[in-house]
Amino acid sequence: MAKQPPHRDPAQDAPHVGPPAHAAAGLPAIGHTLRMAADQMSPGRVLSTLRRVNQPDGFDCPGCAWPEPDKPHLAEFCENGAKAVAEEATERRITPEFFAAHPVAELADRSGYWLGQQGRLTAPMLLDEGATHYAPIGWDDAFALIAAELTALDSPNEAAFYTSGRTSNEAAFAYQLFARRLGTNNLPDCSNMCHESSGSALTETLGVGKGSVSLKDLYQADLIIVAGQNPGTNHPRMLSALERAKRAGARIVSVNPLPEAGLERFKNPQTPRGLVGGGTRLTDLFLQIRLGGDLALFRALNHLLLTTPGAVDDAFVAEHCAGYEEFAAEAAELDRAATLAATGLPWERIEELHRLVLSSKKIIVCWAMGLTQHKHSVPTIREVVNFLLLRGNVGRPGAGVCPVRGHSNVQGDRTMGIFERPSAAFLDALGKEFAFEPPRAHGFDTVDTIRAMRDGRVKVFFAMGGNFVSASPDTDATEAAMRRCRLTVHVSTKLNRSHVVTGARALILPTLGRTDRDVSTLGPQFVSVEDSMGMVHSSRGGLRPPAPGLLSEVAIVSRLARAALGPQDPTPWEDFARDYDLIRDRIARVVPGFDDFNTKVRRPGGFALPHAPRDSRTFPTATGKANFTVNPLTAPDVPPGRLLLQTLRSHDQYNTTVYGLDDRYRGITGGRRVVLVNPEDAAELGLADGQFVDLVGEWKDGVERRAPHFRVVHYPVARGGAAAYYPETNVLVPLDSTADVSNTPTSKAVVVRLEPATRPA
């Protein structure tokens, strides 16, 4: 049987620090995976569950969105994927008796790690106004309560419907349909906080806000640039793809403020070389860039290409691109001193990258949060596109843009219409299919939803999955905003911080997870997801649900919609809850690329969605071509005596879910409250290794944002920067400090000062 969850809260312990690792995976990953799984499940359950992860007849990993290869390995999961599965397939249970024993005020003092370790939620729970404890509530009563609150609003725009990236295509489509039938486009989602900058930049420049490459392209590339990304922790199966590309002749450049073990060397646990040998050295060139310096790097690279005879693919530019003359005129000039200051790189290293580019015909650039969560993130990604366009590296096999998404269906949710600014074409198709006029006014994204709750303009907050309070910026402001709501509702599998920071009333609606069997009155059902490279495939759980009567997300949305919209609404919600094929038939008629959805999704491996730039070198932009853009060089303004902080994940973590208290690749064990500082910066600031400090954010509004009691760790971070784990440091990210265009929080660019610790964490 699984081990009992900890009674005490070990997340309060001080961390221990050792030397960082220089290789990822290998035998330690196998051992760690088995120990974590055994903590949550019996041995038989471990084997029966893990063998179905990412298999054609199994379920999609609830972790990252990295795609499956054409021929999946028998163990097609990584260490962190196994942790995600174990957390969901756990045999621990949270019953109504748990809530009776623990008042909400007590739970609010626990760490997110402790809350998540308690197990799966099993029954709908209501925290009534003025109550100290959650109490059980029936499903019908819960839906009636939500419906009453929604219909009492002065406007549907006083409600917001948040979505995390784990929601299936079918549930997401039904969810956005319900919100729009209600009359609002207030559909914030986790994309607003991560890859919104990617979508904004790619839509403007290429016409499609998604990546343009497949796994096959990655294997065929000559050069792969991995910028602002740590695959070893955040997308570990990507390391297998990089290893395969490397063995086919690709060279790999990593651009990051921290050295990351996974990009140094990969010990593939599925090969003898990885288990007992030295593994594969992945990175050929490591550019340790300063935080926020990526725009300057790609501008310099583009300048060098423009001034190198024969480096530009003139035929591609002439036939397929617009805006080249304006871009080239601006990029012809380069302020070398400003470039070196912004990047922190010697000019010789930039020239070394330039030489690699000149010797490579097929180039892919991969990136993640390190590029998307800065003030100038959208210009940075536009400059990456400029770089690829110059040599015709879009729409060519083995080349293209590769934004690596986080949560397993975050891209699919957006495809299904989870977006506060839907296109007119999508709304036209939705309205035609369901015979109504959808709202046209833009809704609130995540940051604007928090502002609206704070100002009393959103009174009902409904979350389909996720941990909104912990994932959002400016923790104190977000929590205060949530507490102003009349009702907060969370559809969840596990307990988290968002359940203990509530409106006047709060509901927890437990739901099926990816690992659970989904059986309606009609019989077994399955759902579908879209991975980071635009492949759509099915997902079927196999475990008995953790409690009788647990509802799927589709069923929850359908029953709530009927309760809130009334019997007069013509949408066949009851049929949707019984038969997901009926939802897929509607998706096929509304969403481009999903024709014959029910047939194609049943094929092993699923199907690829169309991508015009990749498939035909056509670009559905305003100009009808790929757009070069002009992106002036900007750099963060960091006063003397301050550091620029980036928030990041530990290795025992996925998004806000903390699986354990170790980050063994960085040498951190037994705790999370650490701040990584370059030893030279630490010496200048008088910070001893092991000293405890408070992190104090500085922002133009003058509000003091403080994260107390962090241990200083001398670490090879790029000069001028620092790093610490979120969600503990989200308190430092100002709500109004967001990326231009995308409104994404600037979680990788927080100006902080470090003061001696004033009190324990």
Side-chain angles (χ1 to χ4, degrees):
M1 291 295 293
K3 297 179 181 178
Q4 292 299 308
H7 177 70
R8 58 181 294 276
D9 196 338
Q12 307 297 337
D13 295 346
H16 303 282
V17 180
H22 296 283
L27 283 171
I30 295 176
H32 201 64
T33 296
L34 294 176
R35 285 194 299 273
M36 296 283 277
D39 279 346
Q40 302 283 348
M41 298 182 283
S42 63
R45 191 176 178 92
V46 170
L47 293 175
S48 65
T49 304
L50 292 182
R51 71 175 182 82
R52 290 176 51 85
V53 183
N54 295 327
Q55 299 299 325
D57 61 345
F59 61 91
D60 194 68
C61 177
C64 80
W66 190 254
E68 284 76 62
D70 292 339
K71 296 180 180 179
H73 194 278
L74 290 175
E76 189 57 52
F77 57 85
C78 65
E79 177 187 343
N80 273 5
K83 294 173 189 174
V85 170
E87 283 271 314
E88 183 174 284
T90 181
E91 294 175 279
R92 300 172 183 173
R93 300 288 181 263
I94 296 179
T95 63
E97 288 73 23
F98 171 90
F99 289 103
H102 297 282
V104 173
E106 176 196 320
L107 296 175
D109 284 336
R110 297 287 194 167
S111 70
Y113 169 71
W114 187 91
L115 294 173
Q117 289 296 305
Q118 302 312 300
R120 287 287 298 273
L121 295 160
T122 59
M125 305 297 296
L126 167 67
L127 180 68
D128 216 342
E129 190 165 7
T132 58
H133 293 68
Y134 275 99
I137 185 174
W139 283 107
D140 288 341
D141 289 339
F143 295 136
L145 187 157
I146 301 168
E149 287 283 0
L150 291 173
T151 54
L153 297 173
D154 293 333
S155 163
N157 291 319
E158 292 182 337
F161 298 90
Y162 176 77
T163 317
S164 86
R166 65 172 296 278
T167 303
S168 69
N169 287 329
E170 292 74 14
F173 185 82
Y175 190 55
Q176 63 82 30
L177 174 63
F178 163 56
R180 292 184 167 116
R181 295 281 338 208
L182 194 68
T184 185
N185 281 317
N186 287 348
L187 286 158
D189 74 333
C190 56
S191 284
N192 299 145
M193 294 184 280
C194 56
H195 268 288
E196 198 66 63
S197 297
S198 300
S200 298
L202 294 177
T203 299
E204 177 185 353
T205 56
L206 301 180
V208 178
K210 303 180 182 182
S212 67
V213 302
S214 66
L215 277 179
K216 185 177 179 181
D217 290 314
L218 211 67
Y219 304 149
Q220 297 176 358
D222 298 323
L223 178 64
I224 301 169
I225 300 175
V226 182
Q229 185 188 359
N230 174 18
T233 286
N234 300 332
H235 316 90
R237 287 190 301 129
M238 182 179 176
L239 298 181
S240 299
L242 292 176
E243 180 184 50
R244 181 168 169 180
K246 188 72 182 286
R247 298 206 171 178
R251 287 165 298 182
I252 297 173
V253 175
S254 57
V255 183
N256 207 52
L258 286 77
E260 298 291 6
L263 284 170
E264 288 187 54
R265 186 171 293 275
F266 174 48
K267 295 185 176 182
N268 191 334
Q270 297 177 343
T271 66
R273 177 185 176 90
L275 286 175
V276 298
T280 302
R281 180 173 172 265
L282 292 181
T283 295
D284 296 281
L285 175 64
F286 172 44
L287 299 180
Q288 187 167 21
I289 199 161
R290 283 183 175 161
L291 275 169
D294 304 273
L295 173 58
L297 173 63
F298 281 97
R299 275 182 54 90
L301 203 54
N302 290 338
H303 169 80
L304 290 172
L305 291 175
L306 286 165
T307 54
T308 302
V312 176
D313 187 338
D314 294 319
F316 174 84
V317 170
E319 182 178 356
H320 296 290
C321 300
Y324 175 74
E325 290 76 14
E326 296 86 347
F327 156 74
E330 201 271 345
E333 302 298 325
L334 181 75
D335 185 334
R336 184 178 293 198
T339 298
L340 298 181
T343 63
L345 299 171
W347 185 252
E348 293 75 18
R349 301 289 275 176
I350 298 174
E351 289 183 319
E352 188 175 353
L353 175 57
H354 175 231
R355 289 192 294 272
L356 284 174
V357 170
L358 291 178
S359 62
S360 304
K361 182 174 178 60
K362 298 172 290 186
I363 301 176
I364 292 173
V365 182
C366 304
W367 70 87
M369 304 300 95
L371 262 62
T372 66
Q373 294 180 326
H374 293 272
K375 176 73 171 173
H376 55 278
S377 286
V378 173
T380 298
I381 297 165
R382 290 194 303 228
E383 198 67 24
V384 170
V385 175
N386 288 342
F387 163 70
L388 291 167
L389 293 178
L390 277 175
R391 291 175 60 79
N393 279 306
V394 176
R396 171 188 294 162
V401 293
C402 184
V404 182
R405 308 281 177 169
H407 237 150
S408 62
N409 198 42
V410 63
Q411 187 159 295
D413 288 350
R414 180 58 58 87
T415 303
M416 292 296 106
I418 301 293
F419 192 31
E420 75 282 355
R421 292 175 285 120
S423 69
F426 177 84
L427 293 179
D428 289 345
L430 188 72
K432 179 180 178 182
E433 177 63 27
F434 290 95
F436 80 113
E437 179 52 45
R440 300 281 168 164
H442 289 173
F444 296 137
D445 64 9
T446 293
V447 168
D448 285 335
T449 294
I450 298 169
R451 292 168 177 156
M453 291 190 294
R454 175 198 64 194
D455 299 340
R457 292 177 289 126
V458 162
K459 299 172 182 176
V460 174
F461 178 84
F462 192 105
M464 181 67 69
N467 181 1
F468 187 85
V469 164
S470 291
S472 298
D474 213 338
T475 307
D476 292 345
T478 296
E479 293 192 356
M482 291 287 282
R483 290 189 172 104
R484 289 210 64 192
C485 291
R486 289 192 342 208
L487 175 67
T488 51
V489 185
H490 295 275
V491 179
S492 306
T493 58
K494 304 284 295 295
L495 192 63
N496 63 50
R497 176 92 183 147
S498 295
H499 302 130
V500 297
V501 178
T502 72
R505 290 196 289 180
L507 281 165
I508 300 173
L509 304 181
T511 190
L512 298 178
R514 289 274 178 82
T515 57
D516 300 325
R517 286 197 301 268
D518 186 351
V519 181
S520 73
T521 56
L522 193 66
Q525 302 296 312
F526 71 89
V527 295
S528 65
V529 297
E530 178 186 346
D531 65 34
S532 191
M533 293 182 177
M535 292 292 298
V536 178
H537 58 273
S538 63
S539 178
R540 296 173 175 83
L543 296 177
R544 177 184 298 174
L550 214 58
L551 298 181
S552 69
E553 290 179 329
V554 171
I556 289 172
V557 171
S558 298
R559 290 178 61 174
L560 172 59
R562 179 56 73 204
L565 300 175
Q568 70 276 10
D569 183 79
T571 310
W573 298 108
E574 293 81 3
D575 294 337
F576 285 173
R578 282 193 295 266
D579 187 354
Y580 301 174
D581 277 357
L582 299 179
I583 302 177
R584 286 186 281 269
D585 286 340
R586 300 302 189 104
I587 293 171
R589 294 195 287 269
V590 172
V591 184
F594 283 84
D595 52 289
D596 203 16
F597 189 8
N598 271 307
T599 299
K600 292 191 294 189
V601 78
R602 285 173 163 83
R603 298 171 185 164
F607 62 98
L609 291 176
H611 190 289
R614 177 196 65 209
D615 300 337
S616 60
R617 279 193 163 178
T618 56
F619 301 92
T621 63
T623 64
K625 294 188 174 185
N627 292 319
F628 280 96
T629 53
V630 174
N631 304 294
L633 177 61
T634 60
D637 181 18
V638 184
R642 275 50 173 175
L643 296 173
L644 197 64
L645 178 78
Q646 66 166 325
T647 67
L648 42 68
R649 300 172 183 164
S650 77
H651 190 61
D652 275 356
Q653 174 181 1
Y654 193 78
N655 292 341
T656 59
T657 302
V658 177
Y659 306 130
L661 300 178
D662 297 344
D663 189 353
R664 71 175 187 276
Y665 291 160
R666 298 190 179 108
I668 313 296
T669 57
R672 294 176 48 82
R673 300 187 79 84
V674 296
V675 56
L676 311 181
V677 181
N678 185 287
E680 295 180 43
D681 287 329
E684 291 180 2
L685 296 172
L687 300 172
D689 193 17
Q691 177 181 349
F692 283 88
V693 297
D694 291 352
L695 310 182
V696 184
E698 295 188 355
W699 174 244
K700 61 186 179 182
D701 62 5
V703 174
E704 180 181 283
R705 297 173 175 87
R706 182 179 294 265
H709 206 73
F710 279 68
R711 175 177 172 165
V712 173
V713 177
H714 288 186
Y715 200 85
V717 183
R719 289 297 307 271
Y725 304 131
Y726 73 83
E728 290 86 349
T729 49
N730 282 356
V731 66
L732 302 171
V733 184
L735 182 64
D736 293 326
S737 178
T738 60
D740 295 335
V741 183
S742 68
N743 207 32
T744 296
T746 58
S747 300
K748 298 293 184 287
V750 184
V751 176
V752 295
R753 67 179 187 270
L754 276 58
E755 298 181 348
T758 55
R759 59 183 175 86

